[in-house]
Amino acid sequence: QLMVELDRMAVMRILADTTNRIAEGEVLQLLHVHNPDTDEAAYLRVIERKTAVLFAAGCQLGALASDADITSQRSLYDYGMALGYAFQIADDLLDVEGTTEQLGKPAGADAGLEKATFVKLLGVEGARAKARSLVEQACQQLDSFGEKADLLRETATFVVERRS
């Protein structure tokens, strides 16, 4: 309803594309359940569509709503993508390292469902290093914004340091 009220085709396009990609991610994830041959590239395709595109769309829509130029919109989209990947990897780590009380859901559920995760693919330390690298990539996208983007940088750091 808000998209129609705003009468901005760009907003509608972003949300429609994002919705389609999320649906693709759900299908891809189902295709990889119980698949021991799922590799890092395949898992990245899943989390791109299930998580990263949602973060990216939110960042891009914020830039669009503030009438940011196309370069800024792209930088914020790329920030959101890297942040979304990092968020999912941190979630994979929490599933292994967190408690049910911390998570608000059963700890270890991913392993029980035989889902591909970065922890399963790279181990705990490899997954943690990948998440940190993605946060660095996300923050690099904010260089042109200077200190105006400090809250976004703090958000990126929080994503990989959170415990729930």
Side-chain angles (χ1 to χ4, degrees):
Q1 289 173 335
L2 182 58
M3 291 185 306
V4 172
E5 287 174 27
L6 290 174
D7 195 29
R8 294 192 64 176
M9 288 304 296
V11 172
M12 289 187 264
R13 187 192 80 254
I14 291 166
L15 290 174
D17 289 348
T18 301
T19 301
N20 284 338
R21 292 181 76 194
I22 291 170
E24 290 171 3
E26 291 294 334
V27 171
L28 281 174
Q29 183 174 6
L30 289 173
L31 292 173
H32 291 289
V33 172
H34 309 295
N35 181 357
D37 297 326
T38 299
D39 61 9
E40 184 176 344
Y43 185 57
L44 279 170
R45 284 190 298 276
V46 170
I47 65 173
E48 172 190 332
R49 288 165 178 86
K50 284 198 63 190
T51 307
V53 296
L54 187 57
F55 280 69
C59 293
Q60 184 179 16
L61 288 168
L64 186 64
S66 68
D67 292 320
D69 61 66
I70 194 72
T71 302
S72 296
Q73 287 180 43
R74 184 63 202 194
S75 292
L76 289 168
Y77 177 89
D78 291 344
Y79 163 85
M81 285 294 287
L83 185 62
Y85 284 123
F87 179 90
Q88 185 59 56
I89 295 168
D91 196 63
D92 290 352
L93 285 161
L94 282 172
D95 188 67
V96 172
E97 298 178 326
T99 65
T100 298
E101 293 76 31
Q102 288 173 311
L103 302 176
K105 63 180 184 179
D110 290 345
L113 296 172
E114 298 183 51
K115 289 172 57 177
T117 69
F118 258 96
V119 174
K120 185 175 179 180
L121 293 167
L122 304 176
V124 169
E125 289 309 314
R128 189 172 282 116
K130 182 75 170 179
R132 287 186 182 130
S133 172
L134 285 159
V135 165
E136 288 176 23
Q137 289 175 36
C139 289
Q140 287 172 354
Q141 296 300 319
L142 304 173
D143 288 347
S144 64
F145 298 102
E147 65 185 36
K148 292 186 292 187
D150 283 349
L151 184 58
L152 294 176
R153 289 182 190 91
E154 291 172 25
T155 300
T157 300
F158 170 78
V159 159
V160 295
E161 293 178 359
R162 65 192 169 95
R163 293 286 145 229
S164 61

